Amino acid sequence: MTNPYNHPYHPYDVQISLMNAVYKTLKNGSKLGIFESPTGTGKTLSLICASMTWLRENQHIKSNTIVEEDGNESDDEPEWVKQAYLEKIKRETTGKIIDYENYLDGVEHDGGVIVIEQGKRGKVQIHKRRKNNGNKENEKLDESDILPVDYDNDEGRNGINDDVSKLLDEMDKKDIEIVDKKINNELKIYFVSRTHSQLHQFSNQLKLTNFPSSIKELKNERIKYLPLGSRKQLCINDKVKSLNDTLLINKQCIDLQKEKEVEKKCQFMINKQHDEDLLRLNKFEDLIMTKIYDIEDIVELGENLKCCPYYGVRGDILPSEIISMPYQTLLNKETREMLGIDLTNSVVIIDEAHNLNDSIISMYSSSLSKKSLERLRNSLKRYIKKFMLKMSSSNRIQITKLYKLVNILYKFIERCISLNNVQNGKFIERNEIFDETTDLLNVNELDEYLVKSRLAYKLETYMERSDETYKSKEPLLYEVKQFLYSLSNPQKNGRFFWDTSNNNGDVILKYLLLDSSEIFQDIVEESRCVLLAGGTMSPIDGVIKSLAPNLPNEKIDTFSCGHVIPKENLKTIVKSEYEGVKLRFTHEYRYNEEMVNKLGKLIIDTMMRVPKGFVLFFTSYSYLDKVIKIWERTGVLSKMKNIKEVFIDNGSENIFNEYSSSIELSDNAKGAILFSVLGGRLSEGINFSDDLARMVAIIGVPFADPRSAESIAKNQFGRNSPMEDALRRVNQAVGRAIRNISDYAAVMFIDERYAPNREGGSNGAFRYVSGWIRDGLANRENIEEFFRRHSVNSI
C-alpha cells in the first residue's frame, strides 16, 4: 500500500515515521507511548491517521473473530448447517453496523425534520410551545432559594428511593415509540487537549480524513465522532451563557433545572416525560452521528432543535468511535463516571502533553485563606441560627458537622499565627490540623450532602443577599470541600504548607500535589493504551519519572523526530554578552539598569536586520513591565518605535490581531515587534507563522520565583525540576514560529546560561532546548545573509 495510514495528503518523512511509531505502539500492546514531534509538522493529522487506521483494522478483526469462534463450536454439524449458522452470527454482528449506517443515511437525508411515529395506542399529537412573554415577576425573598434540599443518605436526589424512582419511570413511559438503532463501539479513541482552539483544530483535521470500513459488506462507513465540552462552550440559553464566567454558568444552569415553576426552567432542558422533548433529543443524537460536527456546529444544531447540547451529546458516547474532550474531563474520575466514559479497551491520546503534569497538579491542589474561612464561618453561623428550625433533622446534623469542620480549620490558622508558627513555605503535618476530630472528616459523605442539598449555592445566595459587597467566583464551601479532598490524599503524594507572600496580609493554608503519577496511573490502568504527544516532550525521561515511574520499561514506547523544514531554514543564535556586558537575567541581576539598557541596544541592532515580524518573550509580565519603564525613561523605547511598530502584551485579547494587521499592512522595511511573556497567553496556542515571526528572542530562563511558597515546598520535598519545567515553556514558545515546511526563522537566546560549550553542548539551559532548535547553531550565516538568501528564494 502506498498510503497505509489513509493520510489525505502525501505525508512527509517525519510524518510517516510518527505514524509508524504510533501504529506500532498500538499494535504491540504497549501501555504508554510518548511522542515528540515539533509544532508545525502535522502532528495532529498523523495521530488521527495512525490511530483510526489501527481502530478500523481491529474492529474488522474483532467482527471476523466472533464469527469464526462461534462457527468452530459446531464441528459435528453438516457443512450447510454450519454455513447457515455462520451467516446468522454474521448478520447479528455486522448487520447491526450496516443497519445503523443505513439508518444514519436516512437521518442525514431528513435533516432536522422531526418525524412522529405511530405508537401502540394511537398517534401522538405534538403542539408547539408558546413563547415566554418575557414579563418578569416581582422578585421576592423565596426561602426555597436559600434552604437546603431535604437530605437523606438512603434516598435518591428527589427524596425517593432509587429503586422506586426507576419503577415509577417505567410506569410513566409514554406511548410514543422512539427508533433507537444505536450500536455500541466498545473500542474507542479519546482525544484530549488543553484548550478549545486545539480541540477545534482537531475536528477540522478529522474532517479531512476518510478510512476503510471495518466490515467488507459496507462500502462506506462514516467516522462517528463526538466532541465533549463544557457548559460555557455548549450552553444555548442566552441568560446563562451571557454570564461568561464558567462557575456562574454552572451555578445558573443547575438552579434552572431545579426550578419548580415550568416557566422559570430552562426551555432547552429535555424532559423525558414529554413526547416532543424525547423526539427532539433523539433527532439531536442521531444527527450528530451523521457527520463530523465541531462544538460550534453542535451548538447550532441544539439551537435549531431547541435541545440542550451540553446534556444532549451524552447519548452519543456509546456509538462513537472517536471522542474529543478537554483535559479536565479526562483527569477527573468523577466527571468521567458522571458522563459514562469507560476507558476500558480504549485508546487515550493526550495532545500538548507537555502541560499534563502541571494540569494534574493544578486540578488536585487546593488552598484556604484565613479571611475566606472567617467569612464562611460567620455566614454559616448566621445561616444556621436563622433557618435551623425550618430544616429537616438530617440537614441539621450535616450542616452542624460542616460548621464544626470550618471552625476547626479557622481556629487552627489562628492558633498557629498566635504561636508564630506560620512561615512562608513551611510544611504542616496533616494530623496537626485535625488531631482527634477525624470522625468528622468523611469527604465522600460531605460531597454527597453538598450535591443533594445544594447547600453550597444556597449559602452563597444567602451571603450575596445579606451583603451587597460580597462577590465570589466559586462558592466558598467548594473551596472547603476541595481542601478536604486534599486531606484524604496519601501523605506521600503532596504537602500542606503556609503561603504568606503577596496576600495583602492574609494567611493561606495550601495543599500542593507533588506526585501526579497516582492520578495518571488510574487512566493508564483503565485504558488499553495511553499516547502522550507534544512538540516539546524532552527530556522524555523526566516525563516518565513524573507520570509513570512504576510502569515497566517494556510497556513504554518513546519517539522523537526532527522538524519538516530544511535545516537551512533555521538559524539559532546564543547571546551571552553584548558590548562587554554579561547578559544574565537571574532574580539577582535582572534589574541592573546597565544590563537592561544593553539588552535594549542589542534588540535595536537586531530589529534593523529582521524583516516583518519580531517576537520577544520575557520571563514574566511583571519583569516585562519593569523593563519597558526603564526603556521609556532612557529613550530606548522611542528608538525602537522609529524602526518598527511596537506592541506590548498587556493581557488584551486584541493585541495579537493588532500586531498581525500591522505586519500585513507594512512593507518589508518596517514591520512590527511584539513583546510577550513565556507561559503567557501568546506563548501557546497562537501561531506566529511566516511573516508574523521571522525572528524570535528568548530573554532569560523562566524559572519560578525561588522565594514563592510553592518553590520552597517543592525544594523541601525533593520534587523540583526547575530547569526542565522552564525549558519546556521556552521550547513551546519557540515552536510557535515555524508552522509549515516552507517557513523560516531565526531564534536568539539572550542569557549566558544558554551558552554552549566548545563541544557544542551545554551544562546549563541549552541542553534542554529541543534538538531541532539546537541544530540551528550549525547555520554559520550572519543574520543579514540568512534573511537575504530567503528573500531572494521567495521571489
Side-chain angles (χ1 to χ4, degrees):
M1 293 176 64
T2 55
N3 189 6
Y5 302 112
N6 307 287
H7 198 286
Y9 307 115
H10 182 71
Y12 305 128
D13 289 343
V14 294
Q15 293 172 330
I16 294 172
S17 297
L18 175 58
M19 289 187 289
N20 284 337
V22 170
Y23 185 85
K24 181 182 176 182
T25 295
L26 295 175
K27 187 174 182 179
N28 291 350
S30 299
K31 287 295 286 183
L32 178 64
I34 303 174
F35 304 93
E36 182 177 56
S37 180
T39 305
T41 55
K43 166 171 55 68
T44 301
L45 191 54
S46 298
L47 289 169
I48 290 170
C49 290
S51 59
M52 276 298 296
T53 296
W54 172 86
L55 180 134
R56 284 286 172 91
E57 287 178 3
N58 272 265
Q59 286 175 330
H60 177 74
I61 292 169
K62 182 183 174 184
S63 62
N64 286 340
T65 301
I66 292 172
V67 174
E68 290 170 4
E69 287 178 351
D70 283 332
N72 290 335
E73 293 177 2
S74 55
D75 288 340
D76 295 335
E77 299 289 345
E79 189 61 32
W80 68 271
V81 174
K82 287 198 292 184
Q83 192 62 38
Y85 180 73
L86 284 173
E87 289 297 325
K88 176 178 178 292
I89 296 299
K90 198 169 188 178
R91 283 195 302 273
E92 290 176 353
T93 54
T94 63
K96 289 180 180 178
I97 299 174
I98 296 171
D99 288 347
Y100 188 50
E101 286 294 325
N102 292 335
Y103 173 70
L104 292 178
D105 287 340
V107 171
E108 187 172 11
H109 180 265
D110 293 338
V113 179
I114 296 178
V115 179
I116 309 301
E117 295 209 356
Q118 182 80 21
K120 291 181 180 178
R121 303 182 208 169
K123 188 172 287 187
V124 178
Q125 296 296 319
I126 300 290
H127 300 280
K128 290 185 178 179
R129 293 176 182 267
R130 286 178 294 181
K131 291 185 179 180
N132 193 324
N133 58 18
N135 294 332
K136 291 185 178 180
E137 297 183 8
N138 295 328
E139 293 186 4
K140 298 179 181 179
L141 181 61
D142 185 355
E143 290 186 352
S144 65
D145 292 338
I146 299 174
L147 283 172
V149 176
D150 282 348
Y151 170 77
D152 190 326
N153 282 337
D154 296 327
E155 293 182 356
R157 293 196 177 204
N158 297 318
I160 301 174
N161 182 280
D162 288 337
D163 291 335
V164 177
S165 297
K166 289 178 183 177
L167 182 60
L168 289 174
D169 287 343
E170 290 296 320
M171 293 172 64
D172 287 340
K173 282 186 177 177
K174 299 288 183 175
D175 294 338
I176 191 166
E177 292 181 352
I178 300 293
V179 177
D180 190 357
K181 295 280 188 179
K182 290 191 185 77
I183 57 175
N184 179 12
N185 274 312
E186 295 178 0
L187 186 60
K188 298 183 191 298
I189 295 170
Y190 290 97
F191 184 90
V192 188
S193 199
R194 194 170 66 91
T195 66
H196 174 61
S197 62
Q198 288 159 348
L199 293 172
H200 176 71
Q201 179 191 0
F202 171 79
S203 62
N204 284 339
Q205 297 280 284
L206 189 61
K207 289 176 182 178
L208 300 173
T209 62
N210 185 35
F211 299 96
S213 172
S214 60
I215 53 176
K216 64 181 181 181
E217 292 83 0
L218 191 61
K219 185 178 180 180
N220 295 308
E221 184 178 1
R222 53 176 46 85
I223 299 170
K224 288 167 276 295
Y225 166 64
L226 180 67
L228 296 178
S230 64
R231 283 185 177 91
K232 187 173 183 179
Q233 294 163 346
L234 290 169
C235 180
I236 57 174
N237 186 315
D238 289 335
K239 291 182 180 179
V240 177
K241 67 182 182 182
S242 64
L243 296 171
N244 290 323
D245 184 86
T246 301
L247 294 168
L248 292 177
I249 288 172
N250 292 343
K251 176 186 175 183
Q252 184 69 3
C253 174
I254 293 168
D255 285 346
L256 289 177
Q257 291 177 50
K258 300 295 182 180
E259 283 287 357
K260 294 179 180 177
E261 297 180 37
V262 175
E263 292 78 13
K264 292 184 179 180
K265 286 181 176 288
C266 177
Q267 60 180 312
F268 305 110
M269 192 66 193
I270 294 298
N271 183 340
K272 293 186 179 180
Q273 303 303 314
H274 292 169
D275 297 334
E276 181 186 354
D277 282 10
L278 275 175
L279 284 166
R280 287 190 285 117
L281 175 61
N282 189 59
K283 179 62 70 173
F284 177 80
E285 292 174 353
D286 289 343
L287 280 170
I288 291 175
M289 288 293 100
T290 58
K291 58 183 179 180
I292 295 170
Y293 281 94
D294 191 10
I295 287 282
E296 286 76 13
D297 301 325
I298 288 178
V299 166
E300 184 179 351
L301 183 62
E303 289 172 340
N304 292 338
L305 290 172
K306 308 297 182 190
C307 177
C308 173
Y310 176 71
Y311 287 101
V313 293
R314 299 181 187 185
D316 282 319
I317 290 177
L318 280 181
S320 297
E321 292 176 289
I322 186 163
I323 298 173
S324 67
M325 65 180 80
Y327 270 15
Q328 290 78 2
T329 304
L330 173 76
L331 297 177
N332 191 309
K333 190 168 186 176
E334 289 183 353
T335 303
R336 296 201 304 269
E337 291 174 351
M338 179 187 71
L339 293 173
I341 293 173
D342 183 5
L343 300 181
T344 306
N345 204 35
S346 293
V347 173
V348 177
I349 302 175
I350 303 177
D351 199 14
E352 301 299 326
H354 64 280
N355 288 305
L356 183 58
N357 189 50
D358 289 342
S359 295
I360 294 174
I361 288 172
S362 176
M363 280 184 64
Y364 287 89
S365 297
S366 59
S367 64
L368 281 175
S369 77
K370 179 177 179 289
K371 288 182 179 179
S372 294
L373 276 172
E374 185 175 19
R375 183 186 287 273
L376 179 58
R377 174 175 171 260
N378 294 337
S379 298
L380 265 174
K381 191 174 182 178
R382 293 195 305 269
Y383 183 88
I384 291 170
K385 185 177 180 180
K386 185 175 182 66
F387 299 111
M388 181 64 87
L389 296 178
K390 297 181 180 181
M391 296 182 199
S392 64
S393 58
S394 57
N395 263 317
R396 292 174 195 169
I397 294 169
Q398 294 299 326
I399 204 169
T400 301
K401 281 185 179 182
L402 185 60
Y403 175 75
K404 286 181 179 178
L405 281 171
V406 172
N407 199 39
I408 288 165
L409 289 166
Y410 177 74
K411 286 190 173 182
F412 169 73
I413 296 178
E414 268 200 329
R415 184 171 67 253
C416 290
I417 292 173
S418 66
L419 296 173
N420 201 29
N421 286 339
V422 176
Q423 298 171 19
N424 196 44
K426 182 181 177 182
F427 282 159
I428 306 159
E429 294 297 328
R430 173 178 160 177
N431 56 12
E432 290 180 49
I433 303 174
F434 276 94
D435 199 16
E436 297 177 358
T437 60
T438 51
D439 61 309
L440 291 170
L441 185 59
N442 187 328
V443 178
N444 291 330
E445 185 178 330
L446 173 63
D447 186 34
E448 184 182 5
Y449 173 62
L450 291 178
V451 169
K452 292 183 177 180
S453 68
R454 299 174 58 235
L455 178 63
Y457 289 118
K458 302 280 187 178
L459 179 63
E460 205 73 8
T461 302
Y462 173 73
M463 292 168 70
E464 288 171 356
R465 292 181 180 179
S466 304
D467 183 359
E468 292 182 357
T469 63
Y470 173 72
K471 295 291 179 186
S472 177
K473 289 187 175 181
E474 182 177 37
L476 290 178
L477 274 178
Y478 276 3
E479 292 183 27
V480 173
K481 185 185 80 169
Q482 183 63 31
F483 190 80
L484 294 177
Y485 268 121
S486 302
L487 280 164
S488 67
N489 279 347
Q491 186 74 16
K492 64 178 182 178
N493 290 352
R495 279 290 189 270
F496 295 92
F497 60 94
W498 297 110
D499 184 358
T500 60
S501 58
N502 301 319
N503 297 321
N504 299 318
D506 201 358
V507 173
I508 298 180
L509 182 58
K510 283 192 171 182
Y511 173 80
L512 181 65
L513 181 71
L514 295 167
D515 182 1
S516 57
S517 62
E518 189 165 315
I519 306 298
F520 186 66
Q521 183 179 335
D522 276 351
I523 295 169
V524 174
E525 288 180 349
E526 288 178 28
S527 59
R528 182 189 189 114
C529 180
V530 177
L531 309 180
L532 304 182
T536 52
M537 300 302 294
S538 295
I540 289 177
D541 287 346
V543 176
I544 296 172
K545 181 181 176 182
S546 62
L547 292 173
N550 301 318
L551 196 63
N553 289 335
E554 59 269 21
K555 290 289 184 180
I556 303 174
D557 291 342
T558 63
F559 170 85
S560 182
C561 68
H563 213 293
V564 293
I565 61 168
K567 290 186 177 181
E568 59 268 21
N569 281 23
L570 179 72
K571 177 174 178 57
T572 302
I573 306 162
V574 176
K575 283 287 183 181
S576 57
E577 63 176 11
Y578 186 70
E579 293 186 348
V581 174
K582 285 188 176 181
L583 301 173
R584 188 177 179 88
F585 297 91
T586 61
H587 287 279
E588 184 179 0
Y589 298 111
R590 63 181 182 166
Y591 294 114
N592 179 287
E593 193 158 314
E594 181 187 16
M595 185 178 70
V596 170
N597 281 323
K598 288 295 182 185
L599 170 67
K601 287 189 69 178
L602 170 61
I603 293 170
I604 289 171
D605 181 52
T606 307
M607 288 170 69
M608 293 188 291
R609 294 164 169 77
V610 177
K612 292 292 185 174
F614 186 6
V615 182
L616 292 95
F617 289 101
F618 286 73
T619 52
S620 69
Y621 282 103
S622 60
Y623 185 55
L624 171 59
D625 185 57
K626 292 278 179 64
V627 169
I628 294 297
K629 286 179 179 177
I630 292 173
W631 287 346
E632 284 177 335
R633 191 178 71 248
T634 58
V636 171
L637 191 64
S638 62
K639 291 180 181 178
M640 291 179 177
K641 290 179 178 178
N642 290 332
I643 303 169
K644 287 182 181 289
E645 192 168 356
V646 174
F647 295 87
I648 302 169
D649 180 10
N650 57 3
S652 168
E653 292 185 3
N654 297 324
I655 192 72
F656 176 73
N657 292 332
E658 292 170 3
Y659 169 74
S660 302
S661 297
S662 175
I663 296 292
E664 291 170 3
L665 295 173
S666 66
D667 57 28
N668 283 319
K670 189 171 177 64
I673 186 168
L674 174 64
F675 296 101
S676 191
V677 172
L678 290 162
R681 194 177 61 84
L682 298 180
S683 67
E684 291 190 41
I686 300 290
N687 294 335
F688 291 98
S689 58
D690 300 320
D691 285 340
L692 293 182
R694 287 305 178 199
M695 187 158 195
V696 173
I698 305 294
I699 299 165
V701 183
F703 292 123
D705 188 344
R707 299 164 296 181
S708 71
E710 284 84 356
S711 293
I712 294 170
K714 284 181 178 180
N715 285 330
Q716 290 177 351
F717 198 61
R719 291 297 177 92
N720 212 5
S721 53
M723 187 66 81
E724 291 181 15
D725 293 342
L727 267 295
R728 281 199 184 96
R729 294 166 68 189
V730 170
N731 290 331
Q732 187 67 16
V734 172
R736 314 319 299 174
I738 303 289
R739 307 304 300 174
N740 56 71
I741 195 169
S742 60
D743 208 350
Y744 63 93
V747 180
M748 183 160 60
F749 295 93
I750 307 175
D751 196 299
E752 68 172 3
R753 288 171 290 179
Y754 290 108
N757 57 33
R758 291 179 181 178
E759 289 75 32
S762 173
N763 295 322
F766 200 68
R767 68 190 176 105
Y768 292 99
V769 172
S770 293
W772 66 275
I773 303 171
R774 293 201 308 270
D775 290 344
L777 278 176
N779 190 330
R780 299 299 181 184
E781 295 173 303
N782 61 38
I783 294 179
E784 290 93 337
E785 290 172 345
F786 176 77
F787 287 118
R788 188 184 303 116
R789 175 169 56 83
H790 284 288
S791 176
V792 170
N793 290 343
S794 63
I795 294 175

